[in-house]
Amino acid sequence: MQTESAHGPERPVHPKGTQAKVLLTSVFGPYAQDDEYGSRSINPMELYHNQVTRVQGPFSLRMFHRSSGLMLIQRNIDAPSTLLDFPTQERFVRELQLGDYDIVGISSIVANIGKVAKMCELIRKHSPNSTIVIGGHIASLPDLADRIDADHIVRGEGVCWFRHYLGQDEDAKIIHPDILSGFGMRLFGISFPTVPKDTAATLIPAVGCPMGCNFCATSALFGGKGHSIEFFSTGKEIFDLMCGCEERIGTQSFFIMDENFLLYRDRALELLDLMKRYDKSWSLYVFSSANALRKYTWEQLMGLGISWLWMGLEGEDSQYAKLNNFNSLEYIPELQEHGIKVLGSSIIGLENHTMDNIDKVIERAVKHNTDFHQFMLYTPLPGTPLYKEQSEKGTMLENCDLADIHGQYRFNFHHPHITPEQSGEILLRAFQADFDVNGPSVFRVINTMFKGWKNFHNCADARVRRRLERETSTIRKYGAGVMWAMEKYISDSNRAVVAKMRDLRNKLKENQNMLERAASLVIGPALLASIRREADRLKDGFRYEPPTIVDRMNWVQSN
């Protein structure tokens, strides 16, 4: 057993070099169930439904996301390789038996340690000559080497490690794969085909976050506070990536997986200048802290095509500086008036939270009326400063099942004011309050998009006008029918939200032509029937699972 960081000394080199056959894989499914390997029905392989829209029933946004880290590694190694995304246990075994792999790499989070342990057993049985490499957030577990039978545990960035291991130049320029941001989308019980040109491409300019919040596992994994690993450090490099994606798959939307993209103002403004010079009306979905946002004018944000924004809302009196001197309750409505959809992220169980003030904490979070709202429990994850701090205090819970440490169940430590049992109830209460007060996220999204179009479809910047026309075309044509169906479904349970929906529906109707109004009359009842069918399916316990995806590279060259 060897444990290494991506840039640690005395790293190994495989004797076969780039002739070694490599299998990269995520952990096996199914995922949305309670089983012996650590799957949990409360923790499905669906980011939005898991952490954002979990109580919204048939209105919950359902989709899956590829293992982008594995895709990045595969694209940057010269060895013949296979990537198994979301395999079943049987499919994983079959690949081991048929592939004669020299190296098997598994990426995982801490909660899936039971599956990683089982996969190591299966590799030893069915492919005993394979070298086993484990990476991802699970590598931060301090005693991982004692829990699983692996040859190498890689902590940190994996491309550099694999390049070195295969005898390649680890400092060579990163080649970015084409990654669609999501697939298998389902809403209102309707499955939407994944059309590449209509789907955002995921870009990974860097990993890690220099802000270094003490609870952030991603920041900790890639160096912690003050550190990040840059793959593409200039606006020109990112612009070239986006042009390549647009040319190959036709997309004009980009999900930029950089933990704080707008923090690097010079890079963003260089990108803006290039977008202006080459007349690009792209849509950007980004992460940003509040203090980074304040460095930009509204004209710059609109010109960059910022269409969707994920930002932390840790609340008043927290120890985190991201919201210092920043009135988020005033600023977020301004973002929405500019058509910028906001996913707010709030932590439940910070040090200053008590059973006496937690309802006010939730009330303030809900008051933001963000388009989406993620609620997560304050969770000391292995590798983070918070984990070290709580471990040194002796407050970590003993015999806590690692499968339940994912931020959506209950505390894994002794909070000074809130019990683990209370934490789970509070978390669910927060989700429900946001849904009850603000309504379905899809309603909020349509509202924000329409505001942006209404306010700026006649603005001076032609690029902004084109983007807003493109982004809102469907909702302007058919949104009234969608609103009618949602109104009818919740009419008896939430009259305050229904009134808001009706107001938006009337505004949408004012901008429809006769054909579009007629179409809405058909769409509404059909959609309502679908919503009711989906609600019944979910009540019966139906769960969604991603299909297995297989990508192979460099096999022709190896023959």
Side-chain angles (χ1 to χ4, degrees):
M1 166 69 69
Q2 299 183 43
T3 303
E4 310 96 2
S5 69
H7 298 276
E10 301 180 5
R11 285 180 292 144
V13 177
H14 195 280
K16 290 187 178 181
T18 55
Q19 297 305 304
K21 290 180 286 186
V22 181
L23 172 62
L24 301 170
T25 181
S26 59
V27 297
F28 62 80
Y31 308 98
Q33 65 175 29
D34 298 318
D35 67 19
E36 61 184 300
Y37 300 114
S39 285
R40 295 291 186 264
S41 57
I42 200 174
N43 189 32
M45 191 65 77
E46 300 175 83
L47 173 63
Y48 285 95
H49 180 67
N50 183 341
Q51 301 177 11
V52 183
T53 58
R54 59 181 284 187
V55 303
Q56 297 190 20
F59 304 125
S60 183
L61 182 59
R62 317 294 295 256
M63 70 172 72
F64 305 105
H65 298 83
R66 291 293 307 272
S67 299
S68 54
L70 291 178
M71 295 178 73
L72 191 65
I73 292 172
Q74 184 186 38
R75 187 66 183 87
N76 285 277
I77 60 176
D78 297 334
S81 64
T82 299
L83 195 163
L84 276 183
D85 230 351
F86 319 117
T88 61
Q89 190 175 155
E90 294 74 20
R91 181 65 182 83
F92 175 64
V93 169
R94 188 164 81 249
E95 191 67 35
L96 291 175
Q97 293 171 332
L98 298 176
D100 189 26
Y101 289 100
D102 300 293
I103 304 164
V104 181
I106 305 170
S107 179
S108 175
I109 60 173
V110 171
N112 285 322
I113 186 170
K115 293 191 173 187
V116 173
K118 180 62 177 180
M119 292 173 83
C120 290
E121 292 177 13
L122 293 171
I123 296 166
R124 296 301 189 212
K125 178 179 179 180
H126 298 286
S127 187
N129 295 322
S130 296
T131 298
I132 302 175
V133 181
I134 307 299
H137 287 286
I138 194 174
S140 296
L141 266 175
D143 61 345
L144 181 61
D146 299 324
R147 291 173 175 267
I148 62 172
D149 180 12
D151 298 296
H152 304 293
I153 296 172
V154 181
R155 290 177 178 150
E157 191 271 304
V159 171
C160 179
W161 190 93
F162 263 96
R163 280 178 165 176
H164 180 93
Y165 190 47
L166 296 170
Q168 296 178 218
D169 179 4
E170 59 192 85
D171 296 318
K173 183 178 176 61
I174 293 288
I175 303 171
H176 201 291
D178 291 336
I179 309 173
L180 296 180
S181 61
F183 68 96
M185 180 177 169
R186 190 175 181 92
L187 184 63
F188 306 135
I190 299 172
S191 295
F192 295 85
T194 303
V195 181
K197 71 180 183 63
D198 297 328
T199 305
T202 294
L203 301 182
I204 311 173
V207 290
C209 178
M211 297 298 290
C213 293
N214 68 340
F215 56 80
C216 181
T218 301
S219 176
L221 186 65
F222 298 108
K225 188 176 182 64
H227 297 88
S228 61
I229 299 172
E230 292 187 341
F231 300 135
F232 305 96
S233 58
T234 69
K236 176 64 164 59
E237 289 177 315
I238 294 173
F239 179 80
D240 290 342
L241 279 180
M242 297 164 83
C243 286
C245 285
E246 183 181 41
E247 181 179 344
R248 287 187 298 273
I249 63 180
T251 186
Q252 296 185 69
S253 302
F254 301 91
F255 194 112
I256 302 183
M257 288 291 292
D258 186 315
E259 294 288 325
N260 205 338
F261 179 70
L262 293 178
L263 186 64
Y264 304 98
R265 188 170 182 272
D266 290 344
R267 182 181 67 177
L269 294 184
E270 182 185 4
L271 174 61
L272 173 58
D273 287 341
L274 289 165
M275 289 174 63
K276 288 179 177 178
R277 188 185 312 169
Y278 293 95
D279 196 33
K280 299 296 184 181
S281 62
W282 293 327
S283 303
L284 272 61
Y285 308 152
V286 304
F287 296 77
S288 179
S289 57
N291 57 7
L293 271 173
R294 289 184 291 187
K295 298 178 182 180
Y296 299 84
T297 66
W298 288 112
E299 182 181 10
Q300 288 168 338
L301 292 174
M302 295 291 283
L304 272 167
I306 304 300
S307 174
W308 183 97
L309 188 66
W310 188 315
M311 65 184 300
L313 299 172
E314 274 72 32
E316 295 178 301
D317 304 321
S318 78
Q319 62 176 295
Y320 304 103
K322 292 183 289 185
L323 294 173
N324 284 355
N325 303 313
F326 179 83
N327 190 329
S328 53
L329 289 171
E330 290 182 359
Y331 191 73
I332 285 175
E334 288 189 67
L335 288 166
Q336 293 168 325
E337 288 293 330
H338 287 77
I340 300 174
K341 301 174 285 294
V342 180
L343 194 160
S345 181
S346 295
I347 304 296
I348 298 294
L350 296 175
E351 289 89 343
N352 61 310
H353 292 175
T354 69
M355 290 304 293
D356 291 331
N357 69 21
I358 195 64
D359 286 330
K360 289 185 178 179
V361 169
I362 294 172
E363 181 181 358
R364 188 176 193 279
V366 169
K367 193 174 181 181
H368 285 92
N369 191 20
T370 54
D371 301 87
F372 298 97
H373 210 127
Q374 176 193 47
F375 292 95
M376 293 287 286
L377 291 174
Y378 199 44
T379 304
L381 288 168
T384 63
L386 181 60
Y387 182 88
K388 182 175 184 294
E389 173 191 323
Q390 296 296 329
S391 296
E392 290 173 351
K393 287 182 179 178
T395 56
M396 296 299 298
L397 293 176
E398 296 181 3
N399 302 317
C400 188
D401 193 333
L402 291 175
D404 294 322
I405 302 177
H406 47 71
Q408 288 295 318
Y409 179 51
R410 58 174 58 173
F411 288 152
N412 63 329
F413 72 111
H414 291 286
H415 190 280
H417 310 294
I418 302 170
T419 69
E421 293 75 20
Q422 289 171 329
S423 70
E425 184 274 326
I426 292 168
L427 181 69
L428 194 60
R429 194 194 312 169
F431 278 113
Q432 194 64 51
D434 180 58
F435 182 53
D436 290 344
V437 173
N438 298 317
S441 284
V442 65
F443 153 59
R444 300 178 233 173
V445 166
I446 293 173
N447 195 31
T448 294
M449 293 173 70
F450 186 69
K451 282 180 185 177
W453 177 83
K454 193 75 172 173
N455 293 335
F456 295 98
H457 71 284
N458 288 322
C459 79
D461 191 333
R463 295 183 311 109
V464 172
R465 294 199 305 271
R466 291 203 311 274
R467 175 174 64 82
L468 292 174
E469 287 292 322
R470 181 182 70 245
E471 290 179 344
T472 63
S473 174
T474 299
I475 65 125
R476 285 184 289 113
K477 290 179 180 178
Y478 309 117
V482 174
M483 299 311 303
W484 182 90
M486 288 196 290
E487 285 175 48
K488 289 296 182 182
Y489 185 78
I490 68 171
S491 60
D492 295 330
S493 59
N494 196 330
R495 294 186 178 182
V497 170
V498 166
K500 298 175 187 177
M501 289 179 170
R502 185 177 300 113
D503 180 62
L504 175 58
R505 175 163 60 91
N506 290 332
K507 291 176 181 176
L508 289 164
K509 284 174 63 177
E510 290 173 3
N511 287 274
Q512 287 181 319
N513 59 38
M514 293 299 293
L515 252 173
E516 291 164 351
R517 289 190 181 187
S520 293
L521 293 176
V522 176
I523 289 170
L527 195 57
L528 177 59
S530 182
I531 290 171
R532 287 170 172 162
R533 285 194 299 270
E534 179 73 352
D536 290 341
R537 279 160 55 90
L538 297 176
K539 286 177 184 176
D540 289 340
F542 184 83
R543 299 286 188 269
Y544 289 101
E545 297 285 348
T548 299
I549 298 174
V550 183
D551 295 328
R552 303 191 193 274
M553 294 187 68
N554 300 327
W555 288 96
V556 174
Q557 293 92 321
S558 69
N559 292 334

